[in-house]
Amino acid sequence: MRSRILTAASAAAMSLLTLPAFAGDPEAGASAFASQCQNCHNVVNDEGDVLAGRPNMRTGPNLYGVLGRQAGTVDGFRYGGSLVEAGEAGLVWAADDMVPYLMDPNSYLRETLGNNRARSQMSFRVRDEETAQDIIAFLATFGVVDAEEETEESGS
Ligand code: HEC
């Protein structure tokens, strides 16, 4: 199955129709990403260009196009079972899910799966909601997968 990556501009327009708006400030999000996320994550497009963070960072999954993507589905990344299970149960990353996930990944997975033994392999928490929203707005600038619309023409 192929999903379409929208450009940032059209994603912003589409978001009015299909996705909740991104409330945060992407510039503040860029610096928060650099200080809080890139120790474990990067953003690398399908051509292999490193758009944020460092090359060869594999502690956490590549976050390119994470918004709109089913949780736990980056090829070749070894996720924990709980996140994969949440994705299979229907978790597709939107801002509303990602904020509580970033603020407390274990609790978020426990609640989502209704299982007190669910565990996240991401051992990091964002302290405040505003920062989480800013980082999400930053991640959205790299494109939002519109899982509803599949197309053959885009190379993504
Ligand atoms: C200490 C390392 C570490 C830090 C710091 C970290 N993460 Fe993670 N992150 C991970 C790991 C490992 C996973 C995979 C979790 C699992 O398999 O349960 C993950 C998973 C994720 C996912 C789910 C991706 C998917 O494909 O479903 C998102 C979204 C995410 N992180 C965002 C962030 C953001 C945004 C930040 C910065 C605020 C951040 N992470 C900071 C290690 C980290």
Side-chain angles (χ1 to χ4, degrees):
M1 164 173 139
R2 293 195 126 173
S3 302
R4 169 168 150 199
I5 306 256
L6 301 167
T7 63
S10 69
M14 287 294 290
S15 72
L16 298 173
L17 301 169
T18 59
L19 292 161
F22 298 104
D25 168 0
E27 270 176 47
S31 59
F33 182 89
S35 59
Q36 300 190 32
C37 314
Q38 75 178 24
N39 283 335
C40 297
H41 291 279
N42 60 13
V43 178
V44 180
N45 68 12
D46 295 341
E47 286 73 49
D49 303 324
V50 180
L51 306 177
R54 290 184 284 268
N56 304 318
M57 171 51 70
R58 309 223 193 286
T59 308
N62 178 7
L63 295 178
Y64 181 70
V66 68
L67 287 151
R69 187 166 76 201
Q70 180 180 323
T73 55
V74 169
D75 269 353
F77 185 79
R78 293 169 63 104
Y79 290 95
S82 299
L83 187 61
V84 172
E85 205 184 319
E88 285 169 354
L91 175 60
V92 170
W93 288 120
D96 286 353
D97 303 296
M98 207 181 284
V99 169
Y101 175 79
L102 294 179
M103 295 183 70
D104 190 344
N106 273 324
S107 300
Y108 178 76
L109 288 175
R110 281 171 195 173
E111 225 165 274
T112 301
L113 295 170
N115 174 358
N116 278 338
R117 279 177 299 185
R119 290 200 54 149
S120 171
Q121 289 192 3
M122 171 160 142
S123 51
F124 186 81
R125 292 177 181 205
V126 174
R127 289 218 195 107
D128 62 287
E129 182 175 340
E130 194 184 339
T131 304
Q133 291 282 12
D134 290 346
I135 293 169
I136 289 164
F138 171 64
L139 292 173
T141 63
F142 299 109
V144 174
V145 177
D146 187 348
E148 302 287 304
E149 267 192 62
E150 288 169 36
T151 173
E152 292 300 312
E153 72 200 357
S154 110
S156 56

